[in-house]
Amino acid sequence: MNRPFYQYLAGALTARENCKKAGNAEWLDRWESRLEQLDKLLPSGSGFDAGSVVVKGESSSRQIVIATSFHHMDE
């Protein structure tokens, strides 16, 4: 069964945080890479000027903060 995208983000953020707490640098790097891959699936183009990224320092499994720049288009 497919999960909503935000659940994948929340799971990756939780795993990343657990690795930081445990001092597991190898898996921390893997989860950082996974989050970078997930960032590429966030909105980009058509008004989203510089794409979108998850703000890792402010996000958690309970709150996902996404930074983006958006402008309304005329057409």
Side-chain angles (χ1 to χ4, degrees):
M1 182 173 168
N2 291 334
R3 297 185 297 167
F5 183 69
Y6 74 89
Q7 289 181 347
Y8 286 103
L9 283 173
L13 288 164
T14 299
R16 175 186 171 272
E17 193 60 35
N18 289 340
C19 289
K20 283 178 73 172
K21 289 178 184 175
N24 189 336
E26 178 185 351
W27 277 95
L28 178 61
D29 288 341
R30 291 182 187 191
W31 284 112
E32 290 282 351
S33 295
R34 171 61 82 173
L35 284 165
E36 288 174 14
Q37 292 172 347
L38 292 173
D39 278 346
K40 293 176 184 175
L41 299 174
L42 291 170
S44 179
S46 297
F48 289 90
D49 298 328
S52 305
V53 294
V54 174
V55 182
K56 294 168 189 74
E58 296 179 27
S59 296
S60 69
S61 63
R62 298 175 62 59
Q63 176 177 308
I64 299 170
V65 179
I66 298 174
T68 191
S69 176
F70 180 82
H71 73 274
H72 295 278
M73 300 179 68
D74 293 336
E75 299 175 20

